Amino acid sequence: MRPLLRRLLPALCSAAARALLARRAVPMALRPAEGAARAGGAARSAAPEHDGLENIQEKKIFKENKEKTQQSEEPCAADSVDSLMTEMPFVDTDIEDECAIHATSELTIKKKRKRTTGKEMEEGIERKKKKNKQYQPNYFISLPITNPKITGSIQALQDAIIQKDQRLSKAMVRSGSLHVTMLVMHLSSEEEISIAVGALSDSKVFIDDLLKGKRVDLSFQGIDHFRNQVGFVNLAENDHTTLLKEIAETMTKIFQEKGIMAGEERVFKPHLTFMKLSKSTELRKQVKKIDSSLYEDFKNNYFGDEILHRFDLCSMLKKKQPNGYYYCESSIVFGKSHEADLVKEALRRETQALLSRLNQIKELLTSPEIRTKISKELFEDRHNSNSKWKSCIDSESPNA
């Protein structure tokens, strides 16, 4: 409808202008004609010499009216159109705006869409940041490192690195905090923490089923890094490491079934972190990357074995324990631990020392000379004791 109106509008305006001008011009042209006619009738009854003068006047008046009409045709066109428009039903409509509204609307829509799109992108980014912050991991399942050989070897590695670059002392992980992360999660309330504790407890049954009573020895050997930001010790690839990966996958499923946001999209790579630049904001401004040459001497070093015996639900944010280990909400224990092995080893060494001493005593007792000497000493002691008693009885001493 609007395109049709746009095409018909010029013709309507032109026709309306001509019609309005005709209405205004006709009375002006008729007045001299009517006067001339009346004058003509009077002239017929009057003298004939007035005919030529009247005709000249009529022509002059008609010519003047015609000139006025031609002169007023152009300047009056706008006024005529405006007056005509006031009589039309779409008087209150801005035709120019109406004709251009489609293009304007499209432009406005595009601008709005662009503004809206930009706003939506900003809101989307904000929502994503909020979501990332909301679901940023704050708890994790830890496999603690308790073997003194491993912790001692890593301490030696850290000392060697610090000697080459003192700044990296702020990046080192304390020996009490050494662990292997099995999975991470976000727990936003005490209720979710309680659910996570239950999930960890439920995991024990499945882990025991996977272990089937077998002892799992995790061998730590070699050093690697993540984008030169994190330094870690590798786990040697073997059947025990494969079993550890199965345990991590099983635990992740159990936690997720409980409704806990657990696990990561990337493939699980068990490792033992000993340094990371993110431990210090100030350090990250000074050191952008960890130079791999700093630990070149330990590149293929063997650090020791850890016996799998415990998993802990730990907090990343709560205050650590005095020994440097993380705040622990709950734990599950299975198999043997290095602490138990240490106690057993200490008892074995003490027992061996005692047995060695007893064997020495047996050897001494089996010697004839020693036996004769012992017998003589025992006989003399007995004889002296009997003599004292006999002396006391014979004297009938009151002190007897």
Side-chain angles (χ1 to χ4, degrees), residues 128-144:
K128 188 175 182 180
K129 286 182 179 178
K130 187 175 181 181
K131 183 177 180 180
N132 289 340
K133 186 175 181 181
Q134 183 179 359
Y135 291 102
Q136 186 175 0
N138 57 354
Y139 278 83
F140 66 102
I141 299 299
S142 167
L143 189 166

Side-chain angles (χ1 to χ4, degrees), residues 244-382:
L244 184 68
K245 293 178 180 179
E246 292 181 10
I247 292 173
E249 183 179 352
T250 301
M251 294 180 74
T252 301
K253 289 180 180 178
I254 293 173
F255 276 79
Q256 289 177 348
E257 288 173 357
K258 296 283 187 177
I260 295 174
M261 299 293 293
E264 296 179 286
E265 294 180 358
R266 59 188 178 186
V267 178
F268 173 63
K269 179 181 174 62
H271 60 278
L272 174 55
T273 300
F274 64 87
M275 68 178 298
K276 52 184 177 180
L277 296 180
S278 60
K279 283 181 66 66
S280 172
T281 304
E282 181 182 351
L283 176 63
R284 295 200 67 170
K285 295 178 182 178
Q286 300 175 6
V287 182
K288 301 300 180 182
K289 291 184 178 180
I290 299 172
D291 186 357
S292 59
S293 64
L294 296 174
Y295 50 79
E296 187 65 31
D297 296 340
F298 295 83
K299 191 72 175 178
N300 299 311
N301 187 63
Y302 169 71
F303 291 86
D305 288 358
E306 178 73 28
I307 299 174
L308 179 63
H309 72 284
R310 192 178 91 217
F311 287 131
D312 302 322
L313 174 61
C314 297
S315 171
M316 298 180 185
L317 305 178
K318 293 182 179 180
K319 186 177 180 179
K320 290 184 177 181
Q321 300 179 33
N323 63 354
Y325 192 62
Y326 297 88
Y327 181 88
C328 184
E329 298 283 354
S330 180
S331 302
I332 54 174
V333 180
F334 39 82
K336 297 180 180 180
S337 67
H338 272 287
E339 288 89 342
D341 287 345
L342 289 173
V343 173
K344 185 177 180 180
E345 180 66 16
L347 290 173
R348 185 182 67 80
R349 289 176 182 176
E350 290 293 331
T351 303
Q352 285 181 345
L354 290 173
L355 289 175
S356 177
R357 186 63 178 168
L358 289 173
N359 289 331
Q360 292 177 0
I361 294 172
K362 285 182 179 180
E363 289 178 1
L364 289 172
L365 292 176
T366 56
S367 172
E369 295 178 0
I370 298 297
R371 290 175 68 88
T372 301
K373 187 176 180 179
I374 292 173
S375 299
K376 185 178 179 180
E377 290 178 354
L378 290 173
F379 176 79
E380 289 177 354
D381 289 341
R382 185 184 302 170

Side-chain angles (χ1 to χ4, degrees), residues 26-247:
V26 169
M28 294 175 65
L30 286 177
R31 288 190 197 105
E34 290 174 355
R38 287 193 296 270
R44 290 187 194 98
S45 60
E49 60 266 16
H50 295 291
D51 290 341
L53 182 60
E54 290 178 356
N55 289 334
I56 292 171
Q57 290 176 348
E58 288 178 5
K59 288 179 181 180
K60 186 177 180 181
I61 293 170
F62 183 78
K63 186 177 181 180
E64 289 176 356
N65 291 336
K66 186 176 182 181
E67 288 176 356
K68 288 180 180 180
T69 302
Q70 290 175 350
Q71 290 174 1
S72 63
E73 190 171 10
E74 289 182 1
C76 290
D79 296 337
S80 301
V81 171
D82 290 340
S83 61
L84 180 63
M85 290 298 182
T86 59
E87 300 175 4
M88 293 186 175
F90 46 84
V91 59
D92 296 328
T93 304
D94 190 335
I95 300 299
E96 184 178 358
D97 292 343
E98 184 68 22
C99 294
I101 193 167
H102 183 65
T104 306
S105 298
E106 288 183 352
L107 184 61
T108 304
I109 290 171
K110 287 181 180 178
K111 288 182 179 179
K112 285 184 178 179
R113 185 180 296 123
K114 187 178 288 186
R115 289 196 299 268
T116 305
T117 303
K119 188 176 181 181
E120 287 177 353
M121 287 178 65
E122 291 177 0
E123 291 177 352
I125 293 172
E126 289 298 326
R127 284 196 298 268
K128 188 175 182 180
K129 286 182 179 178
K130 187 175 181 181
K131 183 177 180 180
N132 289 340
K133 186 175 181 181
Q134 183 179 359
Y135 291 102
Q136 186 175 0
N138 57 354
Y139 278 83
F140 66 102
I141 299 299
S142 167
L143 189 166
I145 302 300
T146 59
N147 185 356
K149 176 176 174 54
I150 297 176
T151 56
S153 299
I154 289 180
Q155 184 66 58
L157 165 64
Q158 293 173 332
D159 292 341
I161 294 174
I162 293 172
Q163 285 181 359
K164 296 178 182 179
D165 192 339
Q166 185 67 32
R167 298 174 301 174
L168 294 176
S169 60
K170 298 178 181 179
M172 298 304 171
V173 178
R174 290 180 57 183
S175 59
S177 300
L178 293 173
H179 69 280
V180 175
T181 300
M182 298 296 292
L183 69 147
V184 296
M185 67 196 74
H186 178 84
L187 305 176
S188 58
S189 64
E190 290 296 327
E191 181 181 357
E192 290 187 355
I193 293 174
S194 178
I195 294 173
V197 169
L200 178 62
S201 179
D202 293 344
S203 300
K204 187 178 186 308
V205 178
F206 295 92
I207 294 173
D208 285 337
D209 186 58
L210 286 172
L211 295 178
K212 294 181 173 60
K214 293 186 296 185
R215 168 172 158 166
V216 179
D217 290 323
L218 302 174
S219 181
F220 291 88
Q221 183 172 5
I223 298 177
D224 205 344
H225 63 86
F226 291 131
R227 300 185 301 277
N228 293 106
Q229 301 293 309
V230 176
F232 61 88
V233 178
N234 277 316
L235 265 76
E237 289 292 338
N238 51 39
D239 293 341
H240 291 182
T241 306
T242 302
L243 183 58
L244 184 68
K245 293 178 180 179
E246 292 181 10
I247 292 173

